[in-house]
């Protein structure tokens, strides 16, 4: 079976093995730990490398080709966050805050997962469109802003109803609450756009675009040749953190485990299908699918803890890092690659069939 | 040397709640504070490992009695339900009272 073979081969890549190694180290209660400064530095490095790569590729392809995939991605991200919420709230019976927090965690993009995806494709010798990195940067804040906006709406509606039950002359108070929430939303928008992830990503895309391949040559050794090695080191740390959280997974309940496995699969396949339809390459479709499959576990807590403090971070961090992330890097990536290849072949065949018919 | 009686408010909380505390302090015109990253164990389990975002921070504020209750009340009302947080107050003596007006 082709899928099993590819999954097996993928399990034996250094990136995945180091992750599993980290989990084991945590389980045997080893004191192994990547120093703080390095584990803070690595995400910045990874985003810079992704950004440069994206910028260089965009120089080759130009901006026009990215517009439609970008707009579709924004639409999909919004749509997915909304149906995540409906599933969590109505089927999973989570409270409104946890539902919105989880919905946006899964609607948002995981930059670490994205890096692992790039290294996976590199291992397979498959290229992908560079502008997907720019889509990553645009998509990053969208799911959060939507979830926070909707949570605020829901909360202010509730307070309004409660207030009306007490008194009729409540307009001034409600107005005050509304303006407070508007500033909160504006603050989130500002904070997430000036947040370090987006700043470094956009900055490196611009630099990559400006320097072109010639300018990239002297820094290639740092930003390209060391890329996979750096991911491997970072994944030791991710493995350790995930390993420490394994016990928490049970607390989330069976529904959340199912959600954390099923949602990325469905979203990822939708992404691959749409990307194939939009004419992205085989590798590009995998990365596009990965944008929707991945869940955010570094950016999400930083944003959500401030804006939806009522939601339990143990739920959304644990499910994103402890279940979804390992599942994606071990199983879903190879599966998406095979599906993408299959869809592309089908499309080619259809196209061939059409051409035949035209003759 | 003459010593003046003041209050020391100590807040240990998750690092992501730090801005909330500092906003409250600013709101009550308290501009001086010290903070440092800490780790420990408590009702939320061992904290301070793993992600930078999940570390704890300890904030120390020296202030006068009359401001203390307002600050404490706002922290309790807005932060106790949702955040990992421990606060306590102690009596201390300072030399230069004009620094804490």
């Amino acid at each position: 079976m082709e899928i099993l073979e590819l999954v097996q081969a993928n399990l034996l890549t250094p990136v995945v093995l180091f992750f599993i190694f980290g989990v084991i180290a945590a389980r045997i209660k080893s004191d192994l730990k990547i120093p703080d400064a390095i584990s803070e530095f690595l995400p910045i490095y990874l985003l810079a490398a992704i950004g440069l790569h994206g910028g260089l590729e965009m120089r080759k392809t130009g901006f026009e080709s990215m517009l439609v995939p970008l707009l579709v991605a924004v639409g999909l991200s919004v749509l997915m966050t909304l149906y995540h919420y409906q599933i969590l709230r109505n089927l999973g019976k989570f409270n409104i805050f946890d539902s919105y927090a989880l919905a946006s965690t899964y609607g948002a993009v995981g930059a670490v997962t994205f890096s692992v995806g790039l290294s996976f494709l590199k291992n397979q010798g498959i290229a992908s469109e560079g502008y997907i990195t720019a889509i990553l940067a645009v998509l990053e804040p969208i799911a959060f802003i939507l979830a926070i906006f909707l949570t605020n709406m829901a909360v202010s509606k509730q307070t309004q109803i409660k207030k009306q039950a007490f008194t009729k002359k409540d307009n001034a108070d409600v107005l005050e609450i509304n303006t407070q929430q508007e500033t909160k939303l504006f603050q989130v928008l500002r904070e997430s756009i000036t947040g370090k992830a987006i700043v470094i990503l956009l900055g490196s895309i611009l630099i990559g675009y400006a320097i072109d391949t010639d300018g990239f040559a002297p820094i290639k050794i740092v930003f390209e040749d060391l890329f996979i090695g750096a991911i491997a080191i970072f994944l030791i740390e991710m493995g350790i953190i995930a390993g420490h959280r394994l016990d928490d997974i049970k607390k989330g309940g069976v529904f959340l485990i199912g959600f954390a496995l099923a949602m990325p699969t469905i979203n990822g396949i939708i992404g691959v299908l749409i990307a194939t339809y939009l004419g992205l390459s085989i590798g590009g479709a995998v990365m596009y699918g990965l944008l929707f499959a991945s869940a955010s576990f570094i950016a999400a807590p930083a944003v959500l803890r401030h804006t939806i403090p009522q939601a339990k971070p143990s739920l959304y961090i644990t499910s994103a890092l402890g279940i979804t992330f390992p599942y994606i890097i071990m199983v879903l990536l190879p599966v998406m690659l095979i599906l993408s290849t299959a869809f592309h072949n089908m499309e080619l065949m259809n196209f061939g069939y059409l051409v035949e018919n035209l003759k | 040397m003459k010593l003046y009686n003041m209050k020391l408010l100590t807040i240990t909380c998750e690092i992501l709640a730090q801005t909330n505390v500092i906003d409250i302090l600013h709101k009550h015109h308290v501009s001086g504070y010290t903070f440092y990253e800490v780790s420990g164990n408590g009702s939320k389990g061992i904290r301070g490992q793993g992600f930078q975002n999940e570390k704890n921070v300890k904030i120390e504020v020296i202030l006068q009695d009359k401001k203390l209750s307002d600050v404490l009340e706002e922290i309790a009302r807005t932060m106790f339900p949702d955040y990992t947080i421990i606060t306590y107050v102690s009596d201390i003596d300072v030399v230069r009272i004009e620094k804490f007006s």
Side-chain angles (χ1 to χ4, degrees), chain A residues 10 17 19 39 88 113 124 129 219 228 247 256 265 278 312 319 323-324 346:
Chain A
N10 180 47
L17 285 177
F19 179 78
S39 57
L88 289 159
T113 321
Q124 303 285 334
E129 283 85 346
I219 56 170
I228 296 184
D247 299 325
L256 189 58
T265 315
L278 291 176
K312 288 185 278 298
S319 60
I323 307 171
T324 306
M346 266 176 359

Side-chain angles (χ1 to χ4, degrees), chain A residues 35-359:
Chain A
D36 279 358
I38 294 181
S39 57
E40 270 174 58
F41 161 75
L42 281 174
I44 297 176
Y45 164 79
L46 294 180
L47 287 170
I50 296 173
L52 284 173
H53 174 77
L56 286 173
E57 295 289 321
M58 275 166 75
R59 177 112 184 182
K60 290 178 202 152
T61 50
F63 289 98
E64 307 79 34
S65 52
M66 73 174 278
L67 199 64
V68 176
L70 173 70
L71 292 176
V72 173
V74 170
L76 272 179
S77 173
V78 169
L79 189 73
M80 283 171 178
T81 307
L82 292 175
Y83 70 60
H84 292 159
Y85 171 76
Q86 294 301 335
I87 292 170
L88 289 159
R89 185 94 176 97
N90 297 324
L91 298 177
K93 305 287 175 214
F94 286 97
N95 70 37
I96 185 167
F97 303 112
D98 286 334
S99 302
Y100 274 126
L102 276 165
S104 60
T105 304
Y106 279 84
V109 198
V112 178
T113 321
F114 192 85
S115 326
V116 177
L118 280 181
S119 87
F120 169 76
L121 288 182
K122 221 173 166 183
N123 261 337
Q124 303 285 334
I126 299 170
S128 62
E129 283 85 346
Y131 61 70
I132 298 179
T133 315
I135 301 182
L136 170 76
V138 176
L139 232 44
E140 170 107 9
I142 284 179
F144 295 128
I145 290 167
L146 180 70
I148 292 153
F149 177 71
L150 291 174
T151 316
N152 284 347
M153 291 255 292
V155 171
S156 71
K157 208 190 265 173
Q158 274 177 1
T159 39
Q160 214 163 336
I161 291 167
K162 267 185 200 157
K163 288 217 161 182
Q164 272 165 359
F166 281 113
T167 163
K168 289 282 172 207
K169 49 181 173 82
D170 60 318
N171 285 335
D173 287 354
V174 173
L175 265 181
E176 195 195 348
I177 288 172
N178 282 344
T179 42
Q180 264 179 14
Q181 268 150 6
E182 260 166 40
T183 48
K184 206 171 160 190
L185 201 65
F186 180 73
Q187 219 178 344
V188 172
L189 193 67
R190 203 189 67 83
E191 272 173 20
S192 52
I193 290 172
T194 58
K196 60 181 170 197
I198 294 193
V199 167
I200 185 78
L201 198 54
L202 289 179
S204 343
I205 289 176
L206 288 178
I207 293 173
Y209 190 85
I211 59 179
D212 210 0
T213 325
D214 294 339
F216 187 62
I219 56 170
K220 184 169 170 286
I221 184 165
V222 174
F223 286 103
E224 196 169 319
D225 300 351
L226 291 179
F227 182 64
I228 296 184
I231 293 181
I233 296 173
F234 190 57
L235 283 208
I236 299 177
E237 175 77 0
M238 291 299 104
I240 294 172
I241 299 177
H244 282 304
R245 292 177 165 274
L246 280 187
D247 299 325
D248 289 351
I249 290 177
K250 291 176 214 133
K251 288 182 208 157
V254 180
F255 184 86
L256 189 58
I257 297 176
F259 180 86
L261 294 173
M263 232 50 244
T265 315
I266 297 167
N267 292 347
I269 293 174
I270 293 175
V272 172
L273 257 177
I274 289 179
T276 309
Y277 180 75
L278 291 176
L280 274 78
S281 68
I282 291 180
V286 172
M287 293 312 291
Y288 200 80
L290 194 59
L291 288 178
F292 304 109
S294 60
S296 166
F297 49 81
I298 294 185
V303 178
L304 294 176
R305 209 62 198 110
H306 272 294
T307 47
I308 316 182
Q310 300 92 335
K312 288 185 278 298
S314 57
L315 281 183
Y316 53 82
I317 304 177
T318 305
S319 60
L321 175 64
I323 307 171
T324 306
F325 178 66
Y327 169 67
I328 289 178
I329 64 170
M330 290 180 200
V331 181
L332 195 59
L333 268 175
V335 169
M336 286 202 300
L337 177 58
I338 286 173
L339 286 177
S340 173
T341 317
F343 292 152
H344 278 80
N345 286 340
M346 266 176 359
E347 228 189 26
L348 278 183
M349 277 184 341
N350 281 346
F351 193 63
Y353 178 74
L354 278 178
V355 175
E356 295 263 299
N357 266 0
L358 282 176
K359 282 179 189 169

Side-chain angles (χ1 to χ4, degrees), chain B residues 84-100:
Chain B
T84 305
I85 183 167
I86 294 285
T87 54
Y88 52 87
V89 178
S90 28
D91 283 310
I92 52 158
D93 295 321
V94 299
V95 176
R96 297 172 296 172
I97 194 167
E98 68 279 5
K99 286 191 78 82
F100 309 103

Side-chain angles (χ1 to χ4, degrees), chain B residues 8-91:
Chain B
L8 170 68
L9 171 61
T10 311
I11 304 151
T12 309
C13 63
E14 51 182 298
I15 199 162
L16 290 176
Q18 186 184 338
T19 46
N20 298 42
V21 174
I22 288 167
D23 285 347
I24 292 172
L25 292 177
H26 278 298
K27 204 169 141 187
H28 294 277
H29 308 289
V30 180
S31 55
Y33 49 82
T34 306
F35 60 82
Y36 40 100
E37 278 180 24
V38 291
S39 52
N41 200 348
S43 61
K44 302 272 162 75
I46 293 176
R47 298 205 31 108
Q49 295 178 334
F51 291 122
Q52 173 65 22
N53 279 337
E54 292 185 288
K55 293 199 153 65
N56 278 2
V57 67
K58 192 165 185 169
I59 306 168
E60 290 186 346
V61 196
I62 297 172
L63 66 187
Q64 286 169 2
D65 222 346
K66 57 182 185 218
K67 272 187 186 170
L68 176 74
S69 60
D70 292 347
V71 170
L72 208 49
E73 185 275 327
E74 184 153 357
I75 288 176
R77 181 167 47 80
T78 60
M79 298 182 63
F80 280 7
D82 300 324
Y83 292 99
T84 305
I85 183 167
I86 294 285
T87 54
Y88 52 87
V89 178
S90 28
D91 283 310

